[in-house]
Amino acid sequence: EETLRDLADQRGVFMGTALASHRLGEAQYAETASAEFNSVTHENDLKWEAVQPQRGQYSWAGADRVVDFAEANGQDVHGHTLVWHSQLPSWVSGGGFTADELLAVMDDHISTTMGRYAGRIDTWDVVNEPIGDDARFRDSVFHRTLGEDFVAESLRMARAADPAAELYINDYSIDGVNAKSDAYYDLVVDLLDQGVPLDGIGFQSHLIVGQVPASMRQNIERFTDLGLKVRITELDIRMNVPASQADLERQADDYREVVTTCLEVDGCTGVTVWGVTDAYSWVPDHFDGQGAALPIDESYQPKPAYWAVHEAL
Ligand code: XIL
């Protein structure tokens, strides 16, 4: 039987997963990750708090471990993430920096991190979640100190740090046409008008079973029509647990729909699922009473969703 990775390779798309460095010593985890996926994203190890927990003190062990694993297995790495309000150390969020100081801190973080992996990580979520659920810029030290320009500044710094890398903005709840994705549309039109370097937009796609937006295809297309790439960066589809067979079947239909929709649009380059196995998914820890969100279950067995993705590829 062909794996998801085999099928994605044949189609020339990526099928990715999120990896945690501290799990790579588990044989089943590592074997499943390398067999089924041709792309990986660090689930946490490349975030600011992991990479630069204190000013000027960089810590690369976890991030390197994932990149080394990917290279050993011939996988691409998607860089996640550089400028984000969350998992940001307090020396940045509460640092009391002036605008010039914060720009210098950002430039150091971006150029050091992207520079370390230049030629090894070719695509980056430069800015993560700059817009809130109210479709307005989210409060953060970056927005408070620099205003809306922090997005453009981050992207310019990223282009300078690694001119060959593809640069993305990434967020959740922007999968369909809605107020938040409209705000992104306006933002990226504005950035492109200003000549800001931006190559694509990432749809996290943390979805709820039965709720794939009907306008997802139209929404992807309006961004690709601007010349941007779209990638599905963190797909999972959660449900109440214990999971019913009916929900697992609905979830399979939902996975099929997301993967098919992306692959039907030129410029939608692939899909990453946010974890290897339900056993280690972030969902139960962050959404009360929910789980079973990935295509592979807690025992590394393929779920109906796995076979739906298999068919869609
Ligand atoms: C999540 C990780 O999966 C968890 O392990 C961590 O505790 C919190 O972050 N949007 C993102 C990801 O961009 O970085 C988040 O990952 C999930 C939501």
Short mmCIF file of all heavy atoms in Angstrom, two decimals, residues 11 65 105 115 124 141 170-171 222 236 307:
data_model
loop_
_atom_site.label_atom_id
_atom_site.label_comp_id
_atom_site.label_asym_id
_atom_site.label_seq_id
_atom_site.Cartn_x
_atom_site.Cartn_y
_atom_site.Cartn_z
N ARG A 11 2.11 13.54 -6.67
CA ARG A 11 1.32 14.70 -7.11
C ARG A 11 2.12 15.99 -7.08
O ARG A 11 1.61 17.04 -7.50
CB ARG A 11 0.09 14.86 -6.23
CG ARG A 11 -0.98 13.87 -6.61
CD ARG A 11 -2.33 14.28 -6.12
NE ARG A 11 -2.89 15.43 -6.82
CZ ARG A 11 -4.19 15.67 -6.90
NH1 ARG A 11 -5.04 14.84 -6.34
NH2 ARG A 11 -4.63 16.74 -7.53
N ARG A 65 17.19 19.34 16.20
CA ARG A 65 16.86 17.92 16.18
C ARG A 65 15.78 17.63 15.14
O ARG A 65 15.85 16.62 14.43
CB ARG A 65 16.40 17.52 17.60
CG ARG A 65 16.35 16.08 17.83
CD ARG A 65 16.83 15.66 19.23
NE ARG A 65 16.71 14.21 19.29
CZ ARG A 65 15.88 13.56 20.10
NH1 ARG A 65 15.14 14.21 20.97
NH2 ARG A 65 15.79 12.25 20.04
N VAL A 105 15.44 44.16 18.31
CA VAL A 105 15.24 42.84 18.91
C VAL A 105 14.64 41.88 17.88
O VAL A 105 15.07 40.72 17.74
CB VAL A 105 14.34 42.98 20.16
CG1 VAL A 105 13.73 41.65 20.57
CG2 VAL A 105 15.12 43.60 21.31
N GLY A 115 18.86 32.89 9.45
CA GLY A 115 20.24 32.71 8.98
C GLY A 115 20.78 31.34 9.32
O GLY A 115 21.44 30.69 8.50
N TRP A 124 8.67 30.07 5.53
CA TRP A 124 8.55 30.54 6.94
C TRP A 124 7.21 31.19 7.21
O TRP A 124 6.76 32.05 6.43
CB TRP A 124 9.63 31.59 7.23
CG TRP A 124 10.99 31.01 7.46
CD1 TRP A 124 11.97 30.80 6.53
CD2 TRP A 124 11.53 30.57 8.73
NE1 TRP A 124 13.09 30.25 7.13
CE2 TRP A 124 12.85 30.11 8.47
CE3 TRP A 124 11.03 30.53 10.03
CZ2 TRP A 124 13.67 29.60 9.49
CZ3 TRP A 124 11.85 30.03 11.04
CH2 TRP A 124 13.15 29.58 10.77
N VAL A 141 2.67 43.15 22.03
CA VAL A 141 3.75 44.12 22.20
C VAL A 141 4.17 44.68 20.83
O VAL A 141 4.56 45.85 20.73
CB VAL A 141 4.96 43.50 22.95
CG1 VAL A 141 5.66 42.43 22.11
CG2 VAL A 141 5.93 44.57 23.38
N ASN A 170 0.32 33.65 8.77
CA ASN A 170 -0.41 32.42 9.09
C ASN A 170 -1.47 32.72 10.14
O ASN A 170 -1.22 33.47 11.09
CB ASN A 170 0.64 31.43 9.66
CG ASN A 170 0.17 30.03 9.86
OD1 ASN A 170 -0.35 29.41 8.93
ND2 ASN A 170 0.36 29.50 11.06
N ASP A 171 -2.66 32.13 10.00
CA ASP A 171 -3.68 32.35 11.05
C ASP A 171 -4.77 31.29 10.98
O ASP A 171 -4.87 30.52 10.01
CB ASP A 171 -4.31 33.74 10.93
CG ASP A 171 -4.71 34.33 12.29
OD1 ASP A 171 -5.12 33.57 13.20
OD2 ASP A 171 -4.62 35.57 12.43
N ARG A 222 -9.30 33.54 -3.88
CA ARG A 222 -9.12 35.00 -3.91
C ARG A 222 -7.70 35.38 -3.52
O ARG A 222 -7.18 36.41 -3.97
CB ARG A 222 -10.18 35.74 -3.09
CG ARG A 222 -10.13 35.56 -1.60
CD ARG A 222 -11.15 36.52 -0.97
NE ARG A 222 -11.37 36.19 0.43
CZ ARG A 222 -11.92 37.01 1.30
NH1 ARG A 222 -12.34 38.22 0.91
NH2 ARG A 222 -12.11 36.64 2.54
N ASP A 236 -6.30 20.18 11.68
CA ASP A 236 -6.88 19.12 12.49
C ASP A 236 -8.38 19.37 12.58
O ASP A 236 -8.84 20.49 12.35
CB ASP A 236 -6.21 18.94 13.88
CG ASP A 236 -6.06 20.19 14.70
OD1 ASP A 236 -6.83 21.14 14.52
OD2 ASP A 236 -5.16 20.21 15.57
N TRP A 307 -7.85 7.31 5.36
CA TRP A 307 -8.15 6.74 4.05
C TRP A 307 -8.79 7.78 3.13
O TRP A 307 -8.61 7.75 1.90
CB TRP A 307 -9.02 5.48 4.20
CG TRP A 307 -8.23 4.42 4.92
CD1 TRP A 307 -8.46 3.91 6.16
CD2 TRP A 307 -7.02 3.79 4.45
NE1 TRP A 307 -7.49 3.01 6.51
CE2 TRP A 307 -6.58 2.90 5.48
CE3 TRP A 307 -6.26 3.87 3.28
CZ2 TRP A 307 -5.44 2.12 5.35
CZ3 TRP A 307 -5.11 3.09 3.17
CH2 TRP A 307 -4.71 2.24 4.18
#
